[in-house]
Amino acid sequence: MKNIALRSVSAVVLSSLSLFTFADNIQLGPRPFYLVDDMDKSPLKTRLESCESGPFKKSEFSIGHRGAPMQFPEHTRESYIAAARMGAGILECDVTFTKDKELVCRHSQNDLHTTTDVLAYPDLASKCSVPFTPANPDKNEEAKVECRTSDFTLAEFRRLKGKMDGANPMATTPEDYMKGTPGWRTDLYASRGTLMTHAESIALFKSLGVKMTPELKSPAVEMPYQGFSQQDYAQKLINEYKAASVAPQDVFAQSFNLSDVKYWISKEADFGKQAVYLDSRMYDDETWRPSASDMKALADSGVNIIAPPLYALVTQNNSKEMVPSEYAKLAKNAGLGIITWTLERSGPLVNGGGWYYQSVQDATNNDGDTFKLLDVLAKQVGVKAVFSDWPATTTYYANCMGI
């Protein structure tokens, strides 16, 4: 009856009420319980089983990576709200910019062709940096296309709808190209995919009562872009939090570009204190190895939080058990806080888990091993938080372990 009564309330008020009322009513859904059931017998499984009745609450250990993109189009209003409902205490807007230099939430400046329906609009598709060229199956040549946020004004960007990230590389039509959702995701919740500006994401996150972790994405265009420098870009991101009166302690600005992090440390000290250096050195350069001097140099430069991929923090011992890696030990010894990415982005784990699990493949053979990895990261590595494509899992673990 309550829901019927609310129908008479204006749409704006109803939206605000709906965001407010679920803040303390976390809904994890079946996946965490499925993963616990799938675990091999162990003390960890027994402990996790003991928590099945909850109650569950929001946790800052749980970061919604692009929202909840296992089932919702990434970086959309719907994806963000789903992640908050699953108890993610921190949400991520990957930040890039449009042709008119407005900040928007997209994982990459040049991913509109795989994450939105841009190819459904001929007038917009014709403006893509690389317009659609059909695949040639006879020659085994894949389709070619590249659509950037910088190809479009903000007004044009707003015409688009988010879709599940994926593409059919052997498509001969734009329509077929957009039909490439991986089988372990779903299009059931992709009928709406409301794209957002960075400023809109801030307003939404405030209403959801969560902290925020924007990532300044590497531009696909040459910088400076129409007089817009990399420093202007980094500063504009921070300025939008200031304009919204967001406390610096509620923002974890991220970048793979160490110069961006050092810029924030130097120019915006309050925000720079918890700026996150996303570390990709272990896969950018196969010869790179972590060292104590390297970790100390990062700490001495003012970096307080480092964020490598999952596999960089774990390895396996002679008994094929997951244990902390040398990287993890050196980072911890240098006093660096550690965040990692991305849990539940690998699909089924029956074949070793794929890229994110490459250092512990022999210790990974079922979906329940998600919790085994999470437990090592939390208890042995000591991570501060974990990005996940389905935050209910990290929320469940954090609640069960009292994090």
Side-chain angles (χ1 to χ4, degrees):
M1 294 299 294
K2 179 180 179 182
N3 289 338
I4 295 174
L6 283 176
R7 289 174 189 166
S8 63
V9 184
S10 72
V12 173
V13 175
L14 177 57
S15 176
S16 299
L17 283 172
S18 65
L19 298 182
F20 175 77
T21 54
F22 80 75
D24 297 316
N25 182 24
I26 302 306
Q27 303 168 24
L28 300 185
R31 181 163 175 79
F33 308 97
Y34 165 81
L35 294 176
V36 173
D37 289 344
D38 195 52
M39 294 176 69
D40 298 329
K41 289 184 178 180
S42 67
L44 175 61
K45 178 173 183 173
T46 300
R47 171 68 182 274
L48 292 171
E49 286 175 331
S50 72
C51 302
E52 290 185 347
S53 297
F56 302 106
K57 61 182 180 180
K58 178 177 64 178
S59 172
E60 291 176 14
F61 181 80
S62 178
I63 304 177
H65 178 246
R66 316 184 199 181
M70 181 180 282
Q71 293 195 22
F72 290 82
E74 63 185 47
H75 291 308
T76 61
R77 177 181 174 85
E78 292 76 17
S79 187
Y80 290 143
I81 291 175
R85 282 198 168 109
M86 287 185 271
I90 306 173
L91 295 181
E92 178 191 45
C93 166
D94 287 329
V95 180
T96 186
F97 56 86
T98 61
K99 186 175 183 178
D100 42 357
K101 293 171 280 191
E102 295 296 332
L103 302 186
V104 296
C105 298
R106 285 291 89 201
H107 179 252
S108 172
Q109 190 171 52
N110 59 343
D111 72 358
L112 294 185
H113 49 288
T114 64
T115 66
T116 75
D117 62 348
V118 63
L119 297 182
Y121 303 91
D123 63 320
L124 296 181
S126 66
K127 297 183 179 183
C128 290
S129 291
V130 179
F132 180 78
T133 300
N136 187 333
D138 293 337
K139 295 183 178 180
N140 201 32
E141 294 177 351
E142 295 185 353
K144 296 180 178 63
V145 61
E146 181 183 349
C147 303
R148 302 175 177 176
T149 56
S150 53
D151 292 332
F152 309 103
T153 64
L154 178 59
E156 291 170 329
F157 176 83
R158 289 190 184 282
R159 291 173 55 190
L160 307 180
K161 184 183 77 174
K163 73 176 189 66
M164 296 301 286
D165 186 13
N168 173 9
M170 298 309 295
T172 57
T173 67
E175 292 75 18
D176 284 342
Y177 184 85
M178 291 187 287
K179 299 174 183 177
T181 302
W184 47 273
R185 291 180 181 158
T186 180
D187 288 316
L188 283 173
Y189 308 105
S191 60
R192 292 198 312 270
T194 308
L195 302 191
M196 306 198 75
T197 67
H198 177 232
E200 289 168 345
S201 79
I202 294 171
L204 176 63
F205 296 170
K206 286 180 70 175
S207 74
L208 294 171
V210 299
K211 293 187 177 181
M212 313 170 195
T213 183
E215 180 189 335
L216 195 73
K217 302 303 296 189
S218 298
V221 295
E222 185 176 349
M223 300 291 278
Y225 172 75
Q226 299 178 1
F228 189 55
S229 70
Q230 185 69 26
Q231 292 74 28
D232 294 334
Y233 182 27
Q235 186 62 53
K236 185 167 185 175
L237 180 146
I238 297 300
N239 287 348
E240 293 197 347
Y241 288 95
K242 289 181 171 181
S245 299
V246 178
Q249 60 265 32
D250 290 341
V251 181
F252 298 84
Q254 321 165 62
S255 181
F256 280 100
N257 183 349
L258 184 56
S259 295
D260 294 335
V261 177
K262 290 182 176 180
Y263 174 87
W264 292 322
I265 292 169
S266 173
K267 302 297 183 180
E268 292 287 351
D270 289 342
F271 288 89
K273 288 176 184 177
Q274 54 187 38
V276 180
Y277 172 42
L278 296 164
D279 194 358
S280 62
R281 293 173 295 175
M282 66 290 302
Y283 60 85
D284 289 339
D285 179 0
E286 292 183 358
T287 67
W288 181 83
R289 296 293 181 271
S291 67
S293 60
D294 169 71
M295 294 297 181
K296 183 178 184 301
L298 284 174
D300 288 346
S301 72
V303 174
N304 290 317
I305 305 174
I306 195 168
L310 297 171
Y311 75 83
L313 295 173
V314 290
T315 187
Q316 53 194 45
N317 60 20
N318 292 335
S319 300
K320 295 185 179 180
E321 298 169 325
M322 297 182 187
V323 294
S325 68
E326 185 68 9
Y327 178 108
K329 295 174 185 176
L330 291 171
K332 191 172 183 179
N333 288 342
L336 293 169
I338 305 172
I339 293 173
T340 190
W341 45 274
T342 302
L343 204 70
E344 299 188 279
R345 194 163 181 81
S346 303
L349 303 185
V350 292
N351 294 315
W355 190 86
Y356 289 97
Y357 288 76
Q358 60 186 275
S359 62
V360 288
Q361 287 185 344
D362 292 339
T364 307
N365 57 33
N366 60 50
D367 291 339
D369 287 335
T370 300
F371 276 123
K372 185 166 67 173
L373 173 60
L374 198 52
D375 193 58
V376 172
L377 291 169
K379 293 182 179 177
Q380 298 184 48
V381 175
V383 299
K384 298 167 64 72
V386 177
F387 282 90
S388 175
D389 276 15
W390 198 245
T393 300
T394 43
T395 300
Y396 184 99
Y397 179 86
N399 277 260
C400 191
M401 298 301 172
I403 298 175

